[in-house]
Amino acid sequence: MKHEVLAIRHVYFEDLGSLELVLGDRGLPVRYLDVGRGPIEAPNPLDPSLLVVLGGPIGAFEDAHYPHLAPLLSMLEKRIAAGLPTIGICLGSQLIARALGARVYPSGKLELGWSPLTLTDAGRASALRHLEADGASVPVFHWHGDTFDLPKDATLLASTHMCAHQAFTWGEHVLALQCHPEVLVERFESWLVAYPGDVAKSGTTVAALREETARHGAKLERAARAMFGEWLDRFTVDAR
């Protein structure tokens, strides 16, 4: 296994964000594999210390439109079966759910904006506990219109009023996050420029999202770095 993180990226600004800062503190190099730039050769999913599948605006069930999804699902199946650390964020969480045999489908509503998670008892006992500070939940960023059924043998960690399945673990080595705890304030403007149609459909505004991000972003960055760090501490995902 290589002391390297492989991040599957669908959109250039939906990157590792605060997770990349945590990995940098641990001396772990990150390699991005950008899909959508022509044919790609699927790497060996067992090579990296950590595999992260990031977000994007496509559906995890749209194989007929996006041929990279089938080999990506195969990678996830092999990696999960091997018991290796794997994280999915937004689209990545949906692909993990699908790799574990769960249904992924349009939810019929767009969850877009800042709102806190409601942690389960298992969530409060997990690294997600950092998303609750001094008894109050830290607002987390959301941007998705699809959802998934909870995979068999998965442990639900968090929900929101709009989405019952916001985060889950499967075994000790898989973490799936429907929300976007990784988002960084300094990179947020790209989201607003890229997806104005979603903003209009959601009923919010660019100005409101910008203001909420300025208000909540720094607190989320601190909480997310602590969360990702604690989760990684369970594995030898460290080059130091």
Side-chain angles (χ1 to χ4, degrees), residues 2-172:
K2 300 176 182 177
H3 284 296
E4 177 185 76
V5 177
L6 177 63
I8 309 294
R9 180 168 57 183
H10 291 82
V11 183
Y12 81 93
F13 57 85
E14 292 198 44
D15 55 21
L16 290 166
S18 57
L19 175 53
E20 189 163 358
L21 302 179
V22 174
L23 297 169
D25 291 342
R26 293 162 180 259
L28 275 167
V30 172
R31 179 164 68 94
Y32 282 100
L33 178 61
D34 290 302
V35 299
R37 294 188 176 182
I40 60 170
E41 183 176 343
N44 185 343
L46 309 186
D47 280 348
S49 299
L50 173 68
L51 176 67
V52 185
V53 183
L54 295 164
I58 66 175
F61 43 81
E62 295 183 306
D63 304 51
H65 299 300
Y66 305 104
H68 77 277
L69 290 177
L72 180 50
L73 283 165
S74 178
M75 287 174 61
L76 283 169
E77 289 166 359
K78 291 174 183 175
R79 183 158 179 103
I80 292 170
L84 297 174
T86 306
I87 296 175
I89 296 175
C90 200
L91 173 60
S93 72
Q94 297 161 9
L95 288 165
I96 285 177
R98 190 177 164 198
L100 290 169
R103 185 173 65 109
V104 183
Y105 51 94
S107 68
K109 50 198 172 187
L110 180 61
E111 186 173 29
L112 197 166
W114 289 82
S115 63
L117 300 177
T118 299
L119 300 185
T120 64
D121 289 343
R124 292 188 184 93
S126 76
L128 270 69
R129 65 188 180 86
H130 294 284
L131 298 178
E132 287 188 346
D134 302 322
S137 296
V138 177
V140 176
F141 187 60
H142 307 268
W143 198 316
H144 69 101
D146 295 337
T147 190
F148 49 79
D149 294 335
L150 193 66
K152 182 181 178 182
D153 299 324
T155 299
L156 182 66
L157 301 180
S159 303
T160 61
H161 72 283
M162 289 188 68
C163 181
H165 301 149
Q166 278 285 350
F168 69 84
T169 56
W170 192 87
E172 294 294 318

Side-chain angles (χ1 to χ4, degrees), residues 152-225:
K152 182 181 178 182
D153 299 324
T155 299
L156 182 66
L157 301 180
S159 303
T160 61
H161 72 283
M162 289 188 68
C163 181
H165 301 149
Q166 278 285 350
F168 69 84
T169 56
W170 192 87
E172 294 294 318
H173 60 290
V174 176
L175 176 63
L177 301 161
Q178 174 67 85
C179 54
H180 284 279
E182 84 290 356
V183 71
L184 293 174
V185 174
E186 64 181 18
R187 303 179 191 175
F188 184 71
E189 198 67 21
S190 294
W191 294 72
L192 301 178
V193 171
Y195 301 136
D198 277 1
V199 176
K201 281 189 286 186
S202 73
T204 188
T205 65
V206 166
L209 287 172
R210 191 179 286 124
E211 188 276 329
E212 290 169 3
T213 301
R215 178 151 40 98
H216 302 305
K219 190 172 185 179
L220 176 60
E221 288 174 21
R222 291 191 296 272
R225 290 184 71 165

